[in-house]
Amino acid sequence: MVGPDEVATWTVTQGAHGNVGVHFLAPPVPAELVLKHHGGLTEAGRARGTVPELDRLAVVRSVDDVLELGEAVDFLAPVLARHAQGCC
């Protein structure tokens, strides 16, 4: 996986419903690997009796993918559009 020194804060956003997003830039990693690693971490936490703060991840590759997630992530569509334009 990616180490902390390979991740940089990119931007912070706030959506119309008060949702806040902190967005980072990191080297590309296959989505399947991220989802598998996250699943292992959440399962291990539940086995210890803790409730994970981020219990689900969604892979988004387009603004349409974001729109399907609903209002809770209203801050993501502009971020994805900015990223797609080669902002960074």
Side-chain angles (χ1 to χ4, degrees):
M1 292 304 294
V2 176
D5 57 331
E6 298 175 89
V7 178
T9 304
W10 179 49
T11 191
V12 177
T13 57
Q14 182 173 6
H17 301 279
N19 303 310
V20 175
V22 180
H23 311 278
F24 301 90
L25 292 177
V29 176
E32 296 76 21
L33 180 61
V34 172
L35 294 170
K36 181 179 177 182
H37 187 70
H38 178 266
L41 290 172
T42 55
E43 286 178 28
R46 286 188 178 113
R48 290 189 309 273
T50 62
V51 177
E53 182 179 357
L54 300 173
D55 63 344
R56 293 176 291 145
L57 295 181
V59 176
V60 294
R61 293 186 172 92
S62 71
V63 172
D64 289 338
D65 290 344
V66 172
L67 296 176
E68 291 178 18
L69 297 174
E71 290 181 347
V73 293
D74 60 354
F75 57 85
L76 277 182
V79 171
L80 189 59
R82 180 178 167 204
H83 189 270
Q85 292 174 355
C87 66
C88 25

